[in-house]
């Protein structure tokens, strides 16, 4: 019951309760030579051998879309589809920086993850990307020789230039409050995008996908993605319109994606894959794994980061030193990132001294699933107070009697 994903009324709530027993979620990292990608693996109790890889969007859009992506991943896993939701290097909990090489790194790591995850999907893998994640997924398929059974482009951007233009529009419209143009780039809320990164992202050009099935989910009232579809030059494209504007700029109204979106993606995955025999499915289940613990060296000191789940399903990252211990109180940070990633830096600085820090995402944010009692449009409620108590209890269970809670905004 603790993993219920943001139902909107009581009948959805009962349906979600009965379905949650059909999958579990494993959070961890997938590491390559130059980055570690944060991922959530939705593992069905009765796998079909089919798989879907979902590539998230970039930081500020990912915040607003998180409940919808969790909802779609849950519905896919509930239908027996292995579903892996991944972030982008330098965004969210994934390591790396948003610099001139970031866009190409996104494409490369998506290709690496698709190839690795395909090993547990003997019936075939479908690659799905959301917004700028759709652009990344398309480039991975077109340029890296990744050969999925199909591609889902969910509210896609057609080029990096289109995305950077939208960033500047958002920054301009919210300049008086949360966003602004700065000397070396754009700031949107707590997220900063340098000119160097924006220039590199602008070079991601439109492209033609190979002759594989493509499903396009147009955002509510979208026109840009329609122009993108018309330029592909392939006849194997299916399209549909989402029925709600479920992601609002700024991320104030956090809601689930329309039910039809999950159903269409699931039907597309089923139609373009062929279930193998059960023996084949069983033989592949140990071929892919995520790392729950990640070792880092910061300023010459080795520290450890570990994914943890609190009693109410919240997801957090525990940060501690490997060989040194401090008498400082444990600190609970009420965001896995904090403003401009400052909570990540703070937890690393404390770990160097041997102090312990737990960074948690409140329900509906980051990797933490939405809670059933939070209504769309209400970010901070008594549920959030319960989240704080659950985070503190987690540290107490780990043996820390003194806990300091830190929030911002």
């Amino acid at each position: 019951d603790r993993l219920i994903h943001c139902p909107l009324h009581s009948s959805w709530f009962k349906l979600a309760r009965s379905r949650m027993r059909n999958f579990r979620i494993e959070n961890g990292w997938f590491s390559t030579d130059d980055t570690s990608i944060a991922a959530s693996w939705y593992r069905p109790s009765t796998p079909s051998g089919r798989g879907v890889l979902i590539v998230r969007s970039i930081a500020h859009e990912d915040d607003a879309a998180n409940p919808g992506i969790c909802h779609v991943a849950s519905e896919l896993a509930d239908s027996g589809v292995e579903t892996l939701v991944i972030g982008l290097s330098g965004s969210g909990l994934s390591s790396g920086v948003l610099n001139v090489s970031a866009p190409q790194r996104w494409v490369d790591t998506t290709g690496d993850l698709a190839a690795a995850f395909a090993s547990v999907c003997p019936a075939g893998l479908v690659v799905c990307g959301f917004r700028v994640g759709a652009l990344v997924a398309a480039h991975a398929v077109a340029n890296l020789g990744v050969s999925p059974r199909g591609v889902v482009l969910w509210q896609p951007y057609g080029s990096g230039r289109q995305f950077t233009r939208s960033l500047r529009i958002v920054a301009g419209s919210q300049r008086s409050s949360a966003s602004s143009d700065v000397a070396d780039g754009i700031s949107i809320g707590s997220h900063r995008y340098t000119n160097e990164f924006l220039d590199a992202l602008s070079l991601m050009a439109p492209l033609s996908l190979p002759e594989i099935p493509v499903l396009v989910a147009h955002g509510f009232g979208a026109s840009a993605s329609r122009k993108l579809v018309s330029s592909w030059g392939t006849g194997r494209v299916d399209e549909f319109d989402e029925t709600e504007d479920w992601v609002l700029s700024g991320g104030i109204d956090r809601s689930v994606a329309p039910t039809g979106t999950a159903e269409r993606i699931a039907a597309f995955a089923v139609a373009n894959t062929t279930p193998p025999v059960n023996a084949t499915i069983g033989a592949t289940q140990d071929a892919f794994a995520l790392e729950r613990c990640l070792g880092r060296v910061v300023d010459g000191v080795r520290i450890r980061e570990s994914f943890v789940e609190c009693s109410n399903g919240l997801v957090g990252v525990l940060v501690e030193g490997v060989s040194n211990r401090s008498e400082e109180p444990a600190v609970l940070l009420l965001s896995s990132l904090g403003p401009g990633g400052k909570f990540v830096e703070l937890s690393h600085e404390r770990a160097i001294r041997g102090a312990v820090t737990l960074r948690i995402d409140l329900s509906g944010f980051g990797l933490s699933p939405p809670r059933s009692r939070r209504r769309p449009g209400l970010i901070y409620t008594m549920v959030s107070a319960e989240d704080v108590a659950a985070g503190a209890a987690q540290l107490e269970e780990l043996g820390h009697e003194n806990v300091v809670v830190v929030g911002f905004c």
Side-chain angles (χ1 to χ4, degrees):
D1 289 356
R2 65 192 178 99
L3 292 177
I4 290 170
H5 286 258
C6 227
L8 297 182
H9 52 75
S10 58
S11 61
W12 286 25
F13 176 67
K14 293 174 183 176
L15 185 63
R17 284 175 64 95
S18 66
R19 287 183 174 180
M20 293 311 296
R21 294 171 296 182
N22 292 337
F23 67 91
R24 70 184 190 275
I25 303 175
E26 295 181 4
N27 297 295
W29 287 277
F30 178 87
S31 297
T32 65
D33 291 339
D34 58 357
T35 188
S36 294
I37 301 299
S40 296
W41 185 0
Y42 291 68
R43 305 194 65 175
S45 301
T46 307
S48 64
R50 301 180 173 99
V52 172
L53 172 70
I54 300 178
V55 185
R56 292 176 177 269
S57 189
I58 201 170
H60 75 279
E61 288 196 336
D62 190 40
D63 287 348
N66 178 60
I69 292 173
C70 289
H71 170 67
V72 169
S74 299
E75 292 294 308
L76 288 168
D78 191 60
S79 64
V81 178
E82 300 278 358
T83 306
L84 185 68
V85 182
I86 68 171
L88 297 173
S89 175
S91 179
L93 293 176
S94 299
S95 68
V97 294
L98 297 179
N99 56 19
V100 68
S101 61
Q104 185 58 49
R105 190 184 308 116
W106 293 349
V107 175
D108 293 342
T109 53
T110 297
D112 291 341
L113 265 160
F117 190 57
S119 63
V120 295
C121 309
L125 176 69
V126 168
V127 176
C128 171
F130 179 75
R131 294 203 169 180
V132 76
L135 180 63
V136 172
H139 273 262
V141 171
N143 298 331
L144 296 182
V146 177
S147 300
R149 297 292 183 86
V151 178
V152 179
L153 304 177
W154 187 4
Q155 297 191 17
Y157 287 101
S159 67
R161 186 173 300 278
Q162 182 189 39
F163 177 66
T164 56
R165 186 163 57 245
S166 74
L167 285 180
R168 296 189 184 281
I169 291 173
V170 172
S173 65
Q174 299 182 357
R175 186 171 300 158
S176 61
S177 56
S179 309
S180 63
D181 286 309
V182 292
D184 61 344
I186 294 174
S187 179
I188 300 179
S190 61
H191 305 292
R192 184 79 167 268
Y193 306 106
T194 65
N195 284 328
E196 177 189 43
F197 164 70
L198 293 172
D199 289 344
L201 185 56
S202 295
L203 298 178
M204 292 189 74
L207 45 77
S208 295
L209 288 169
E211 285 288 328
I212 59 176
V214 176
L215 175 67
V216 184
H218 298 290
F220 187 78
S223 59
S225 57
R226 298 185 191 285
K227 297 177 182 177
L228 171 66
V229 170
S230 65
S231 68
W232 282 334
T234 175
R236 307 185 68 184
V237 177
D238 188 18
E239 308 171 57
F240 72 96
D241 295 297
E242 293 199 293
T243 56
E244 302 170 27
D245 186 9
W246 61 276
V247 181
L248 302 181
S249 60
I252 298 302
D253 188 358
R254 298 162 190 269
S255 183
V256 298
T259 301
T261 299
E263 292 174 343
R264 290 294 295 266
I265 295 175
F268 179 80
V270 170
N272 291 286
T273 54
T274 305
V277 296
N278 290 336
T280 306
I281 297 175
T284 64
Q285 289 303 292
D286 296 328
F288 177 81
L290 296 174
E291 303 171 87
R292 288 191 65 85
C293 296
L294 191 65
R296 299 182 188 273
V297 176
V298 181
D299 292 343
V301 178
R302 189 165 182 79
I303 67 172
R304 178 171 55 242
E305 294 185 297
S306 307
F307 271 109
V308 298
E309 287 188 9
C310 300
S311 59
N312 61 350
L314 290 184
V315 176
V317 178
L318 185 72
V319 188
E320 55 192 337
V322 172
S323 57
N324 53 338
R325 291 290 178 183
S326 168
E327 296 301 319
E328 296 180 49
V331 168
L332 173 66
L333 299 176
L334 302 183
S335 168
S336 63
L337 297 176
K342 292 299 182 183
F343 282 4
V344 177
E345 297 175 9
L346 174 60
S347 65
H348 288 178
E349 292 170 1
R350 286 175 47 79
I352 290 173
R353 303 195 302 268
V356 174
T357 306
L358 175 60
R359 312 191 316 256
I360 65 167
D361 285 315
L362 300 179
S363 56
F365 293 77
L367 295 181
S368 292
R371 299 275 292 282
S372 60
R373 286 157 41 210
R374 169 173 287 141
R375 292 184 288 121
L378 294 179
I379 299 178
Y380 302 111
T381 67
M382 284 307 296
V383 171
S384 299
E386 295 170 7
D387 291 345
V388 176
Q394 181 70 33
L395 283 169
E396 290 175 348
E397 289 178 10
L398 294 173
H400 301 283
E401 296 181 358
N402 298 319
V403 176
V404 176
V405 182
V406 179
F408 73 100
C409 190

